[in-house]
Amino acid sequence: MTRIKCDRLSRSANVVNAAVGGRRIEQVRSDIVSGKCTDADTVIVHVGTNNLKQDNINTIKTKLSQMCNTLKTNIPSHCSVAVSSILPRDKPPVQNIDECNEFLRDLCKEHKWTYINNSAVTTDLLYDGLHPDTRGMSFLAKNYQNFLRSAHPSLFQQGRQKSFQRKPQFIVPPGAPDWLKFLLSPGGSNTVNPYRRR
């Protein structure tokens, strides 16, 4: 998830991608304890894939539950939280992913958090059987952006307004030739230019 561009998720909010490649559930839990989420207004957690190879399903569930409980006690009360589903794999081990995701969904219900379903990221969108390619990352980023938009709609609305207000205004200088007046007029560059050389 380290390749997700924060400025593309929101231009109005201060989005930080704290992902570290290869991290396991217990390591992310340690990051939470160290204070990474203390001042956050919104948190998206994506973890679990790297535990599939070394842990059995019961151990993974225990670690996920401990991590969620730790997160609950280390974030502000107003913080919005989403847990992102584990992506499919085209390399062993491929078992237990569906069961882990069902457990994550239940944890989200328990804590009243949002569960982000990444089922649109299929195995044909993994460039190496494990990690999403460009299209897969686009699906993932869109899911995250949809959650941020629902959690903080005013930020995205302000972003659109600011973008509109920054629309460039062109001033036609006195005595300008007709071809320049045409180009600087509203919509001029999007219509047929009668002054273009044939």
Side-chain angles (χ1 to χ4, degrees):
M1 305 308 107
T2 56
R3 292 183 290 133
I4 289 182
K5 305 296 184 183
C6 295
D7 60 337
R8 294 186 181 181
L9 293 179
S10 173
R11 298 185 183 280
S12 302
N14 179 25
V15 181
V16 177
N17 184 350
V20 178
R23 300 291 270 180
R24 297 187 301 276
I25 301 167
E26 58 271 24
Q27 293 171 314
V28 172
R29 185 186 179 202
S30 297
D31 291 340
I32 295 169
V33 172
S34 68
K36 278 197 172 182
C37 304
T38 304
D39 300 321
D41 292 317
T42 307
V43 173
I44 300 175
V45 179
H46 183 91
V47 69
T49 299
N50 296 317
N51 287 80
L52 293 173
K53 193 172 183 178
Q54 67 175 35
D55 295 331
N56 61 48
I57 184 64
N58 291 327
T59 300
I60 292 175
K61 287 182 177 181
T62 297
K63 290 182 177 181
L64 286 172
S65 182
Q66 291 172 341
M67 182 203 68
C68 288
N69 289 333
T70 300
L71 180 61
K72 188 79 171 182
T73 58
N74 282 273
I75 56 173
S77 58
H78 65 272
C79 184
S80 300
V81 178
V83 179
S84 175
S85 69
I86 298 173
L87 301 181
R89 298 166 64 103
D90 207 21
K91 289 184 177 181
V94 297
Q95 69 273 16
N96 298 331
I97 293 178
D98 289 342
E99 188 172 349
C100 282
N101 283 334
E102 282 301 314
F103 186 70
L104 284 175
R105 192 191 298 271
D106 291 340
L107 285 174
C108 286
K109 289 181 181 179
E110 176 186 339
H111 293 288
K112 297 181 179 179
W113 295 342
T114 299
Y115 174 78
I116 298 179
N117 185 347
N118 297 313
S119 58
V121 184
T122 53
T123 53
D124 61 312
L125 299 178
L126 307 176
Y127 68 85
D128 61 352
L130 296 174
H131 302 95
D133 59 15
T134 302
R135 287 180 59 215
M137 291 300 294
S138 296
F139 278 115
L140 198 63
K142 188 64 178 178
N143 288 344
Y144 292 175
Q145 187 180 59
N146 287 340
F147 165 67
L148 292 173
R149 191 184 299 277
S150 65
H152 303 284
S154 60
L155 286 177
F156 285 84
Q157 182 64 32
Q158 290 171 5
R160 288 195 294 271
Q161 291 173 348
K162 289 177 182 178
S163 176
F164 176 78
Q165 291 169 357
R166 289 195 296 267
K167 184 177 180 180
Q169 301 294 321
F170 298 107
I171 300 175
V172 181
D178 290 340
W179 65 266
L180 182 58
K181 291 179 181 178
F182 172 82
L183 289 177
L184 295 182
S185 64
S189 60
N190 297 321
T191 56
V192 178
N193 183 356
Y195 301 99
R196 182 173 64 88
R197 291 182 179 181
R198 304 292 179 181

